[in-house]
Each structure stands twice: as C-alpha cells, then as structure tokens.
Amino acid sequence: MKSLDDLQKLRDKAKRTMDMTDLVDGVRIQVGMGTCGIAAGARPVLQKFIDEVAAHNLHNIIITQVGCMGECAFEPIVEIVEKDGTKTTYCKVGKRLAEEIVEEHLINGNRLDAYMLSTIKR
Amino acid sequence: MLSRMHILICGGKDCLSSHSKELRDEFHLVLSELNLLDEVRLVMAGCFGLCSQGPIVVMTPGETFYSHVTVADIREICEEHVVKGNIVERLLIKEPIDKAKIKNYSQLKFYDRQRRIALRNCGQINPTDINEYIARDGYLALGKVLSTMSPAEVVAEMKKSGLRGRGGAGFSTGQKWEFAAKSVDDVKYVICNADEGDPGAFMDRSVLEGDPHSVLEAMAICGYGIGSHQGYIYVRAEYPIAVERLNNAIKQARELRLLGKNIFSSGFAFDIELRLGAGAFVCGEETALMASIEGNRGMPRLKPPFPAVKGLWGHPTNVNNVETFANVPAIFLKGADWFKAIGTEKSSGTKVFALGGKIANTGLVEIPMGTTLREVIFDIGGGIPNHRKFKAVQTGGPSGGCITEAALDTPIDFDSLVAMGSMMGSGGMIVMDEDNCMVDVARFYLDFTVDESCGKCTPCREGTRRMLDILNKICAGNGTLEDLDLLESIANMVKDSSLCALGQSAPNPVLSTLTHFRDEYIAHVVDKVCPAGVCSNLTNYTITDKCIGCTKCAKNCPVSAISGTVKQQHVIDLSKCIRCGACKKACPVNAISSKPLPKEENK
C-alpha cells in the first residue's frame, strides 16, 4: 500500500463486491463461524449451502463465513443479505433447514418465519 | 422433504407456563392418527409478543393466529384447518394485531439496546478476507494517521478519547501510550494481550475470530504513536481458530504492505508476530506475560519499573487488551470527541459483556457504559429461564464479586462496579438464580485461583489454599461461626499483601459473598443446610404441597427414592436420596426445596 489513494481504490472495489453492485439480484449468505458456531455444527451447514447452491445452478449467490454475532445460544446462525440491504437471520440452522432456505427463501422467495431471529431492513 | 404446512407453537416462557408443551404432544398424537406427520411440521417457536393471548398457535402458510388454545381444541384444528383448510373462527385472535409487534419482537430488543464499536465487524465480514475489512473502511484509520498526524498527536488523540483498558483494571490507554512514548529507547514493543483467561469471558476470542484485522491495524497505530516497530500478539493456544485467522490476517496485511517496511510511503515500519501461551491464567498479568514471551516461566514481578519503562527484554513496552485495540481504529476514524460522547463521563465508549449462566440469551452484548445491569440482564439478556428468581450476577470472573438485586439499577462503568465490591474485569457476566449456592460459587472461583496461582508470593500461594480449605469445610457441613471470621481475615490479608493482581483480587468472590449473602454462610454453619440445595451434605430435599403429582420427579430419580401416586403429593425417602438434584430440575412447579431438618434428625 503506497498511499491513501491506493487504499481508497481497493476499498471501492472491495465494497462493490461486498454490496453485490455488479450482481443481478445478488444474495449474500453469511454463516457464523466463530468457535461457538463451529461447535454448534456450522461447518457441514456451510458445505450444504455450497452444495445446494451448486445443485440448483444459482449464480448470483455469495457464500461466506463470518465471525460470531453475539447470539451464541442460537448458533449455527445464517444471515441472508439481499441486495437492497434486507437481512434475514435464521437460527439453529441444520443441513435440512439449509436445504429449505435455499429452496424456499432463495428460489421461491418465501421467508421461513418459523426459524427467523429477525429481519432488519437497513 | 418439505412440509406443506407448519404449525408454530409459541415456546416463549409465558406460553410455556400455559402448557404449550402439552399442546405440542397433543398435536403430535392427533397428526399421527391422521397420518399427517410427514406433511405437517410442528415447531416450538420463540415468543410472538402476544403473551396475554397465549398459548398462541400459528398456522403457516396463511399466518393464521389462534389464541388461548387448549388441548381440547387441537383435534378440531387438525381436522378442520389442516385436513380441510377451514379456519377455526372461534379461536382467532379477537383484537386487531399489530403486525409490526408480532414478529420476533423479543429478538429485535437484543440488538436495539446495543451499540457495536469493538464488535462492529464481527458477524458482518469474512475474517479470512482482508478485502472485506477494507470495504468497511479498514486500514483507513492507519492511512490517515500515517499521512496526517505526528506521533505526539496520536497519543494526544488517544488521551482525549478517554478510552480505558478493557482487560481489567481500566487504566487510561492514552496515558499508557504516553508513558511508553516518553521512554527513550531505540527499541520499543507493542503487545496485544489476548490471553483471555476469565471463566465465562470470550469477547477477545470473538474479536480475533471475527475481525482480526482491527487488532492488527490498532497495533500499528499504537506502534507509530509510541515509536515501536515490532508488535507481539500473545494468544492462548486454546484458541486454534483465532490463531489460524490471525496468522492468515498477518500474511494478507504483509502482502498488501499494510505491515512491513515503509507503510503508506511514510517511512514507518511495523510488523507483528504471534506468541502462543499455554493457557496459564497468571500470564494475563502483563509482567508474567512478558516473562512468558521471553521464554521464562510465566511469573509476575514487582512494579515499578512499569512495562512502559522497562518491559519486554528490558525495552519500553506497551501492553493493551484485544478489546481495547479493537476500539482504536474506530476512534481514529471518527475522532476522539465522537468516542468521548458515548458512555459516561469517566468511562467513555462501550463495553462488551459475555453473558452466561442462568440467562436466556447466552452470548456477547456490547452496550454503552452507563447502561444498568437490569437492562443488560432482563431486557437484552432475556432474563432468567425456567421462572427462577434472580439472585446475583458475578462480574469480572475470579477477580470480581457478586452484585445483588439491590444494585441492579446502578449504571455500569469502571468506577461504579468497584464501588459495589466487584470489578469490570474483562467483562464476563455470570447470572445466578435461586438454585445457585453462593458459598459454592465462592468455592468454585477460589478453586480456580488456587489452581492458577503461580506460587511466587506466599499470601497468594498459601492464603488462597487456606481459604479454600475453610470453604470446603463449610460446604461439607463442618464449618463454625469462627471459620467465617477466619475466612474474612485471611481474605483481607491476601488482598492487601499479594504481589500481583491475581492474588490481590482472588479474595473478591469470597468477600463479596460474605457481605451480601452472609445469611447463606450462616445457614451452612449454624443450621447445617444449603438453602439452594447444592452442597450435597447439607441438602435435605422435601416435596412441598405445591406438588401436582405429575410423577416427573419419581421418573427422574436415579435411585427410586421418590414414591407417590399420580395427582397426589409425592414423598422423598431421605435414606435413599443421593442429593443429585435430578428431581428438582425435573419439577415443573418448583415444589422441591431443601429445608433444614429438625435438630434430632441432623446427621
């Protein structure tokens, strides 16, 4: 990093990726992977999301691991962040629920209210 | 397979008390009779925020809300709604529903009261990708500092922010930096203390796992401020994920030349290395920590000389905790005045607390200083589960003390906690209810400090052990009133004469329980009973007339000591009872208590 300008350029580029600016109907799946999340079984859940998204041929989806959000009692926690900033938080996600989230929420567009911690619109 | 319908039964504690579990069992029974278990999914959901109308049952799709549902209504719901799709009109909620209020109302509360500075990126960014940290203004503070500020300005800004050390005693971070900056030496060090050892505290781990770059950036800023070119992170080997992500973060920062030589073309060089600790509690003490990095046995030494004058390998060293560092980039981005405006006058900013023990929402919360304990425990933490009564909250781990209900409305900051006989510590907060024995709690913490005492100074090495002996004696039922006086005098002696903070604060759990819960100690030594039913020698369980005869206690008793018939009050045979407490845990109406026996029956 040579100057603040360099950083600014990198920042803008990284922000475009994170905000899914260049992605049509982009969705970001954040899987909580702190020690608490991993202990509660987040690793197979992350893998399941990768498999399901590939199996359904979805191309507008970013799957990423994140740290702990603080609600350790409800791990594994998965957040679905849509391009408009809507964030849906699912708690205690297992492999079966991961499948349901991909099929119902991502493909059919129905939130699974029963497993939600919260929906916050930024 | 996907279910065509979900039946959500409110599992919030108010609805649970109106028997929502029985509803679930009945649903299960009827649905299996109708052969619908594959098509319909039963879910115990969180509170819908309509407790006065409970038990609530919600049918999706369609979001039909049924209120005041009883076991007798379930067959009708299944046959009409599930099979035929007809809504059972008479069970619908009578009042208009405020939709905004219903959904996940209790969980929103969890975030509304919080203000995230140290945890700003935790759970939001991918910790293994430096680009995501940069996308959220990462390393911008370092860039600004290196291009526009002099080292002296950095230290002055830090002092102005009023940030105090988040690892324990709460010493001013700006002053610490100033001492280190003023020491004249060619070689200086920055150390990040990530040897988080308090039982029940895990905020440092969470920061390192969720946002490692914020610590690296802060250490570089500190290095520039005090004139250091080398940083060490002393992290516990028990945190393998944190270690892995830190190593990865350091590698990425080096690749982007955010660590290394000539950062931002300023001529400033800074690099960071990890040092793994073996997990000794005393190594969280800064002089012991430095001894451990040097390769010596982790033992504290006398201060002064303070580390800022003579630290690692004899050079001036600045040691800050992980959470302290995590606040630093935000302070330099938004300014000291912004930070100073948050929190209370003498404790600015926020503090992360790790909520644990008997609390509904176990986890991490970050709140502005000055929030009351009541808000943290009841509003954010969701209160005590299972209808138990709040007894005390232990803050500051083995160095802190217990705070009782009377002090719940005191705003939390460094000074108010000390005034209450506890301390901030690293921010562990363990909530205790009426089932916790305070003598046993004191014994638990003391057992920990006896194990972790390094043995260098006599008061800590011998004093804590003698105190533990006395507590063991009291818990076994052999204590006397004189023991309480002896305990108190040893505690004060250890507190006054120990070498380091470990020994100086080790008696706090004992002293604070002796002050606030003397009646429990007296019950142990005079009446020979443990009111909470924890100390097995002093526990004599009886079943009170609250008993509803549900037989759960008898079914859970591992030695078949409980007899009685359905719907009749049960009886415990104390000669068979092994005091395991299984019946007490199983009882749905809290009818089992530990009572003193009449004198002649005392063993």
Side-chain angles (χ1 to χ4, degrees):
Chain A
M1 205 61 63
K2 292 224 168 78
S3 67
L4 267 177
D5 280 348
D6 287 356
L7 183 71
Q8 207 71 44
K9 271 180 212 142
L10 185 61
R11 175 186 174 275
D12 293 343
K13 196 175 144 225
K15 203 164 180 321
R16 279 182 86 84
T17 315
M18 235 182 129
D19 293 345
M20 303 173 281
T21 314
D22 307 319
L23 217 55
V24 182
D25 289 334
V27 174
R28 186 173 146 101
I29 304 176
Q30 301 184 160
V31 184
M33 297 274 266
T35 291
C36 46
I38 291 171
R43 278 209 171 106
V45 170
L46 180 78
Q47 189 55 47
K48 186 75 186 169
F49 271 109
I50 294 172
D51 295 346
E52 284 295 309
V53 165
H56 288 92
N57 236 346
L58 304 174
H59 295 295
N60 54 344
I61 300 205
I62 299 170
I63 303 173
T64 186
Q65 59 170 342
V66 295
C68 158
M69 300 198 317
E71 293 200 86
C72 312
F74 300 95
E75 295 279 3
I77 290 179
V78 173
E79 284 198 306
I80 310 290
V81 187
E82 279 152 70
K83 205 172 158 179
D84 64 358
T86 309
K87 210 182 235 184
T88 310
T89 311
Y90 290 108
C91 61
K92 299 201 171 168
V93 181
K95 280 206 252 181
R96 198 178 141 191
L97 182 54
E99 203 178 308
E100 265 189 79
I101 291 173
V102 172
E103 287 175 4
E104 275 302 309
H105 187 143
L106 299 183
I107 299 176
N108 297 336
N110 302 321
R111 292 204 182 88
L112 302 165
D113 294 359
Y115 313 103
M116 262 159 52
L117 268 183
S118 64
T119 311
I120 300 167
K121 183 137 184 167
R122 274 188 298 201
Chain B
M1 200 191 100
L2 287 178
S3 312
R4 74 167 168 99
M5 184 178 262
H6 286 173
I7 301 178
L8 317 180
I9 306 161
C10 179
K13 72 174 184 198
D14 289 306
C15 285
L16 272 182
S17 66
S18 33
H19 309 297
S20 54
K21 275 205 176 113
E22 277 93 302
L23 295 185
R24 183 188 57 185
D25 295 345
E26 182 68 14
F27 263 123
H28 195 269
L29 189 81
V30 178
L31 288 173
S32 65
E33 275 178 30
L34 296 170
N35 225 350
L36 287 170
L37 276 180
D38 282 339
E39 290 176 51
V40 181
R41 189 143 160 206
L42 282 175
V43 181
M44 291 297 272
C47 177
F48 295 106
L50 295 164
C51 308
S52 60
Q53 313 255 357
I56 299 274
V57 171
V58 183
M59 320 287 287
T60 60
E63 295 209 337
T64 312
F65 276 74
Y66 291 131
S67 64
H68 300 297
V69 180
T70 62
V71 173
D73 298 324
I74 284 168
R75 190 163 290 274
E76 195 183 346
I77 295 178
C78 290
E79 288 176 352
E80 286 301 317
H81 193 133
V82 180
V83 178
K84 299 180 194 161
N86 300 327
I87 288 172
V88 186
E89 297 278 350
R90 65 176 180 88
L91 292 173
L92 282 179
I93 287 194
K94 305 284 184 298
E95 300 158 25
I97 310 166
D98 178 6
K99 281 260 176 184
K101 206 176 141 192
I102 300 167
K103 227 167 270 166
N104 310 302
Y105 151 93
S106 60
Q107 286 310 321
L108 283 173
K109 229 171 165 180
F110 185 83
Y111 287 110
D112 275 358
R113 300 280 182 106
Q114 295 195 49
R115 174 143 194 187
R116 300 203 154 197
I117 299 174
L119 300 178
R120 63 194 177 281
N121 290 329
C122 285
Q124 308 299 327
I125 63 167
N126 181 349
T128 59
D129 183 355
I130 190 170
N131 290 318
E132 297 214 343
Y133 180 67
I134 290 173
R136 289 174 65 105
D137 293 334
Y139 290 104
L140 192 60
L142 178 63
K144 266 170 76 178
V145 162
L146 292 184
S147 1
T148 61
M149 292 170 90
S150 72
E153 282 168 347
V154 169
V155 173
E157 183 81 356
M158 205 60 222
K159 264 181 91 173
K160 204 169 129 197
S161 74
L163 177 68
R164 292 170 69 171
R166 298 295 193 246
F171 189 76
S172 157
T173 306
Q175 275 185 31
K176 232 179 183 177
W177 287 19
E178 189 177 37
F179 292 143
K182 280 186 176 158
S183 296
V184 182
D185 199 329
D186 292 340
V187 180
K188 293 182 188 176
Y189 295 106
V190 176
I191 295 178
C192 172
N193 183 348
D195 192 56
E196 182 172 54
D198 281 6
F202 50 91
M203 63 286 294
D204 291 352
R205 190 194 73 208
S206 200
V207 170
L208 296 176
E209 286 176 0
D211 192 16
H213 286 285
S214 69
V215 175
L216 305 187
E217 183 181 3
M219 288 176 73
I221 294 172
C222 173
Y224 179 70
I226 69 169
S228 158
H229 302 292
Q230 179 65 49
Y232 291 101
I233 301 177
Y234 187 83
V235 57
R236 316 177 63 181
E238 289 101 322
Y239 287 175
I241 297 166
V243 171
E244 182 193 316
R245 291 189 186 159
L246 274 172
N247 273 324
N248 177 60
I250 292 172
K251 191 171 141 250
Q252 289 180 343
R254 279 182 190 151
E255 277 164 10
L256 287 181
R257 307 268 305 270
L258 289 162
L259 287 177
K261 281 177 187 152
N262 200 13
I263 304 168
F264 284 107
S265 314
S266 64
F268 172 67
F270 193 77
D271 204 4
I272 295 173
E273 280 177 38
L274 289 195
R275 286 291 180 270
L276 301 194
F281 182 61
V282 74
C283 288
E285 201 282 337
E286 53 187 9
T287 57
L289 184 154
M290 290 184 301
S292 175
I293 291 182
E294 286 167 3
N296 298 319
R297 196 168 158 182
M299 288 215 220
R301 61 159 172 78
L302 270 177
K303 291 189 278 193
F306 287 97
V309 178
K310 224 170 172 211
L312 193 59
W313 290 298
H315 297 292
T317 304
N318 177 65
V319 186
N320 285 131
N321 160 270
V322 172
E323 194 193 328
T324 315
F325 275 132
N327 278 296
V328 169
I331 292 174
F332 281 93
L333 264 186
K334 299 190 179 169
D337 293 325
W338 165 82
F339 191 77
K340 183 90 187 137
I342 304 166
T344 63
E345 196 191 338
K346 287 192 173 154
S347 305
S348 45
T350 57
K351 177 78 189 88
V352 183
F353 287 99
L355 291 180
K358 307 282 179 66
I359 190 149
N361 298 338
T362 308
L364 286 183
V365 299
E366 181 168 354
I367 46 147
M369 298 275 190
T371 310
T372 64
L373 277 167
R374 191 183 297 281
E375 286 175 83
V376 175
I377 295 167
F378 290 93
D379 293 345
I380 302 173
I384 321 283
N386 303 326
H387 293 273
R388 294 294 197 254
K389 197 169 165 292
F390 172 86
K391 188 188 253 181
V393 54
Q394 217 276 351
T395 68
S399 325
C402 292
I403 296 166
T404 56
E405 184 149 22
L408 274 184
D409 291 309
T410 317
I412 310 169
D413 63 23
F414 285 104
D415 309 301
S416 69
L417 285 179
V418 171
M420 286 188 270
S422 184
M423 67 186 283
M424 186 78 82
S426 56
M429 206 178 255
I430 297 178
V431 180
M432 284 165 282
D433 67 8
E434 53 193 313
D435 292 343
N436 287 99
C437 164
M438 300 315 285
V439 183
D440 186 63
V441 167
R443 182 170 71 150
F444 166 79
Y445 283 112
L446 211 56
D447 193 40
F448 179 84
T449 30
V450 166
D451 258 2
E452 295 294 343
S453 171
C454 75
K456 184 170 179 173
C457 73
T458 315
C460 177
R461 183 185 66 236
E462 301 298 334
T464 53
R465 186 164 288 282
R466 282 295 296 132
M467 279 156 63
L468 182 63
D469 287 345
I470 295 173
L471 284 173
N472 280 333
K473 190 176 155 196
I474 294 174
C475 288
N478 303 322
T480 61
L481 276 174
E482 291 73 41
D483 284 332
L484 297 189
D485 296 335
L486 182 61
L487 186 63
E488 200 160 4
S489 81
I490 299 177
N492 283 316
M493 183 274 297
V494 173
K495 192 176 169 133
D496 292 341
S497 54
S498 289
L499 172 69
C500 80
L502 192 156
Q504 287 156 14
S505 61
N508 283 351
V510 175
L511 286 170
S512 79
T513 48
L514 267 174
T515 311
H516 297 303
F517 296 98
R518 204 171 192 94
D519 52 332
E520 276 192 39
Y521 280 89
I522 303 232
H524 279 73
V525 298
V526 179
D527 304 330
K528 305 288 179 201
V529 64
C530 175
V534 172
C535 306
S536 58
N537 275 1
L538 298 175
T539 293
N540 297 299
Y541 285 121
T542 52
I543 302 179
T544 64
D545 53 12
K546 277 199 226 163
C547 176
I548 52 167
C550 70
T551 73
K552 278 186 183 150
C553 56
K555 279 181 194 151
N556 278 287
C557 179
V559 291
S560 306
I562 301 178
S563 55
T565 47
V566 183
K567 296 194 176 163
Q568 299 289 316
Q569 187 175 340
H570 284 47
V571 182
I572 300 178
D573 180 353
L574 281 176
S575 64
K576 283 189 195 163
C577 174
I578 55 167
R579 279 87 178 164
C580 67
C583 51
K584 200 173 179 200
K585 283 199 191 83
C587 182
V589 292
N590 205 7
I592 294 170
S593 66
S594 173
K595 289 258 161 66
L597 287 182
K599 283 274 180 257
E600 63 272 20
E601 286 181 48
N602 265 341
K603 280 183 288 180

